[in-house]
Amino acid sequence: MTILNPRSRNITEGKSRAPNRSMYYAMGYEEADFKKPMVGVANGHSTITPCNSGLQKLTDAAIAAIEAAGGNAQVFGTPTISDGMAMGTEGMKYSLVSREVISDCIETSVQGQWMDGVLVVGGCDKNMPGGLMGMLRANVPAIYVYGGTILPGSYQGKDLNIVSVFEAVGENAAGRLSDEDLLQIERRAIPGPGSCGGMYTANTMSSSFEALGISLPYSSTMANPHDEKLNSAAESARVLIEAIKKDIKPRDIVTKKSIENAVAVIMATGGSTNAVLHFLAIAHAAGVDWSIDDFERMRKKIPVLCDLKPSGKYLAVDLHRAGGIPQVMKTLMAAGLLNTDCLTITGQTIGEMLNSLNLPDAPRADQDVIRPIDKPMYAQGHLAILKGNLSPEGAVAKITGLKNPVITGPARVFDDEQSALAAILANKIVPGDVMVLRYLGPKGGPGMPEMLAPTGALIGQGLGESVGLITDGRFSGGTWGMVVGHVAPEAAAGGTIAFIHEGDSVTIDAKQLLLQLNVSDEEIAKRRAAWTAPKPRYIRGVQAKFAFNASSASKGAVLDNY
């Protein structure tokens, strides 16, 4: 076999490479192996979380397929943090940090061992953006294998998922759900391996990767326990070997046009607010000119086509049965809302790939998960970028499921998540209030934790549409309601959110894309002059490094924006 990539010559040519070859002989390599491509397999398997507990079988299938196709599989690990388990605790502050750790692991292993390509296997939320960022930095042929979604749980005839538990806590606190029912929901919500089942962050990112062309068609909505997920992992490995031969690299695939496609699918499926943060970071890693304002540009022209949780009815498994992301993309393509000339990892363009699947231009009539283009859930996208004196750099609001996405009310100010949650559960938050959760941004948290516990409790108490909540932290993909996150600049950097006083009037107006503190400029300036930045919460370790280096959320909270 001929050498498929010049990078392999580092271990095949010259007597000076003998010590390197000796290390490979120790692992069972033979002379013929040095003419095969060295293919990294970044394995995110762990028993920390259901999202990743089913990844080893996919990794094994990919390894076998790589070797059968004539490659050498070189396996290394990447860590994960379970957002669902860490939510509401100090551990949640490590979630976004893990995105950077994962990308560093992949870049370091691929570049340090001079691999010819890499297949990344991941499940939980940050596995996807972290994996792709590492792939883009290394820029060798690469493919992403998503671990798959979870199957729904069930109780009293109703489907359950992870968000059901957080909302049940609020219902229980409000006296609307018994202790026994809460216990049964907790026990039954997560029936096995796979990532959280709605169009939450993991499924949002996997769907967008399919739209980018860095993952295979249909792979983003498959369930982890199903055999098709195993077969897709093996096929991904075979496709990667061909991509190595053709030298198709991630930066050939991830372009401004392909990011537009990914964001179009995020809007059409009602995806997570976290996608805004992550695609700013992905674009940065790819060297693509992409700003927070581009999301608003895309929102105005892309309708919400899919009726998916958290604000809709269905789960990812239902979307899969209805035609999956390819059907969503074909519907957008038929309406002229997709860039069809973008390259995919298969070597086909997006247009060629979709046409090869023989999908109809409109969704099937026997399902209502995916709507026709002329009968959408909403005429415009759901991820709105709000600006104003509270967020001159922008903030992100998810406005689906709301009857009236406008509120002006008195600020209820909290400098941490736990006291905010306690106030909700103690029934101290009432309709018309606007909760302010601050010092939770990239630097202030640090690590920009998600606020699913407070927002889930608000929904559970029936306050989802009557109470506003703004934060410089993030939201879970399972969050919905009158909520605005990623407020930038953040409080710890001297953003206006730091100067809100208890009782101040605050306006959230998604119709006018406005986030406003209704206080005079003179008063804000007076408060700013009297403000002192808080001391760092961490002075050693990854949290300290993240807080010191992190860019604004409006720039993706990346660590290398020099």
Side-chain angles (χ1 to χ4, degrees):
M1 174 182 274
T2 58
I3 297 170
L4 299 183
N5 190 297
R7 291 167 69 96
S8 297
R9 292 192 177 93
N10 285 277
I11 58 166
T12 62
E13 293 184 354
K15 293 181 180 180
S16 64
R17 308 306 298 176
N20 306 58
R21 291 161 64 100
S22 180
M23 301 290 282
Y24 285 92
Y25 286 132
M27 294 186 292
Y29 278 58
E30 298 179 355
E31 190 68 25
D33 288 317
F34 298 118
K35 294 185 178 181
K36 298 177 182 179
M38 300 293 185
V39 183
V41 179
N43 183 9
H45 172 80
S46 76
T47 56
I48 290 172
T49 170
C51 308
N52 290 50
S53 65
L55 298 188
Q56 189 59 51
K57 63 181 181 180
L58 306 183
T59 300
D60 291 342
I63 291 168
I66 287 168
E67 294 176 348
N72 293 317
Q74 298 185 311
V75 186
F76 59 94
T78 62
T80 197
I81 296 295
S82 171
D83 292 7
M85 292 177 175
M87 202 72 68
T89 74
E90 193 71 6
M92 186 65 225
K93 295 179 180 180
Y94 287 85
S95 170
L96 187 59
V97 174
S98 75
R99 183 189 74 180
E100 304 304 313
V101 176
I102 291 164
S103 58
D104 288 351
C105 283
I106 292 169
E107 178 190 2
T108 300
S109 295
V110 172
Q111 298 291 66
Q113 295 302 127
W114 214 239
M115 295 170 184
D116 297 309
V118 61
L119 181 147
V120 181
V121 187
C124 202
D125 294 5
K126 307 310 173 297
N127 293 188
M128 265 77 71
L132 183 52
M133 289 160 65
M135 290 155 62
L136 286 162
R137 291 182 200 165
N139 203 35
V140 299
I143 194 166
Y144 201 97
V145 174
Y146 177 47
T149 187
I150 201 168
L151 295 171
S154 181
Y155 180 58
Q156 295 182 340
K158 294 182 180 180
D159 282 351
L160 299 175
N161 61 85
I162 183 63
V163 177
S164 306
V165 184
F166 285 91
E167 293 181 358
V169 170
E171 290 183 81
N172 178 258
R176 296 160 55 187
L177 188 76
S178 71
D179 290 348
E180 177 61 23
D181 284 338
L182 174 59
L183 177 62
Q184 292 303 322
I185 289 171
E186 180 185 28
R187 286 179 172 175
R188 298 166 187 259
I190 310 296
S195 296
C196 299
M199 192 47 68
Y200 310 145
T201 302
N203 286 327
T204 296
M205 297 308 297
S206 69
S207 297
S208 67
F209 282 16
E210 189 175 323
L212 277 175
I214 204 76
S215 293
L216 294 187
Y218 297 106
S219 64
S220 67
T221 52
M222 293 174 179
N224 177 270
H226 291 167
D227 287 345
E228 64 177 350
K229 186 75 253 186
L230 205 65
N231 297 335
S232 179
E235 179 60 20
S236 296
R238 290 187 285 269
V239 167
L240 177 58
I241 294 295
E242 293 303 310
I244 293 171
K245 293 177 183 177
K246 298 171 186 174
D247 201 26
I248 299 173
K249 298 186 177 74
R251 290 184 212 164
D252 300 325
I253 295 169
V254 181
T255 64
K256 187 161 189 173
K257 283 187 174 183
S258 71
I259 291 178
E260 287 180 345
N261 287 345
V263 173
V265 165
I266 290 165
M267 295 292 180
T269 57
S272 167
T273 53
N274 282 310
V276 175
L277 188 79
H278 295 327
F279 266 94
L280 288 166
I282 288 164
H284 176 73
V288 171
D289 181 18
W290 186 266
S291 77
I292 196 168
D293 295 321
D294 285 308
F295 291 95
E296 184 60 31
R297 172 175 62 85
M298 293 298 296
R299 184 188 73 83
K300 290 177 179 177
K301 67 179 184 177
I302 304 296
V304 179
L305 298 178
C306 299
D307 189 2
L308 297 169
K309 289 182 180 295
S311 58
K313 290 192 296 185
Y314 295 108
L315 297 170
V317 289
D318 302 308
L319 175 59
H320 191 63
R321 285 190 289 264
I325 295 304
Q327 182 61 73
V328 176
M329 294 179 72
K330 186 65 183 294
T331 304
L332 293 171
M333 186 174 83
L337 296 174
L338 212 62
N339 298 311
T340 59
D341 58 346
C342 297
L343 182 66
T344 74
I345 189 63
T346 66
Q348 294 177 302
T349 65
I350 286 289
E352 290 168 343
M353 180 271 291
L354 289 173
N355 286 330
S356 72
L357 298 176
N358 296 316
L359 292 162
D361 288 346
R364 300 192 322 265
D366 65 347
Q367 58 79 47
D368 63 347
V369 184
I370 309 171
R371 302 287 187 89
I373 199 79
D374 59 346
K375 295 180 182 178
M377 295 286 294
Y378 305 93
Q380 292 184 324
H382 64 300
L383 296 179
I385 305 303
L386 275 54
K387 293 190 175 182
N389 66 0
L390 268 175
S391 57
E393 293 181 12
V396 184
K398 183 189 285 187
I399 58 177
T400 46
L402 298 175
K403 297 181 181 71
N404 181 28
V406 179
I407 187 172
T408 295
R412 304 296 310 279
V413 182
F414 303 91
D415 289 349
D416 62 83
E417 178 187 5
Q418 288 70 31
S419 60
L421 178 61
I424 296 168
L425 296 180
N427 300 312
K428 293 180 179 179
I429 304 300
V430 300
D433 284 347
V434 177
M435 299 185 71
V436 178
L437 279 65
R438 64 190 181 189
Y439 294 105
L440 295 165
K443 293 181 178 296
M448 211 178 175
E450 293 178 352
M451 302 291 109
L452 180 56
T455 59
L458 286 173
I459 297 296
Q461 292 198 349
L463 298 173
E465 297 208 46
S466 59
V467 170
L469 189 152
I470 71 171
T471 180
D472 50 8
R474 297 182 295 125
F475 294 118
S476 162
T479 295
W480 72 278
M482 184 69 71
V483 297
V484 182
H486 309 199
V487 172
E490 63 176 290
T496 308
I497 191 172
F499 314 134
I500 301 175
H501 288 181
E502 183 82 9
D504 282 347
S505 174
V506 173
T507 294
I508 302 170
D509 189 336
K511 292 181 178 178
Q512 297 189 61
L513 305 178
L514 179 67
L515 186 62
Q516 188 79 13
L517 172 61
N518 300 312
V519 171
S520 70
D521 293 344
E522 292 77 14
E523 176 62 20
I524 292 173
K526 180 181 176 181
R527 295 179 186 182
R528 178 175 281 109
W531 177 78
T532 302
K535 293 181 179 179
R537 288 174 168 162
Y538 290 83
I539 58 172
R540 295 287 186 275
V542 295
Q543 288 285 8
K545 288 187 284 186
F546 189 93
F548 183 81
N549 288 291
S551 71
S552 168
S554 66
K555 301 290 185 182
V558 297
L559 303 188
D560 58 351
N561 187 34
Y562 304 124

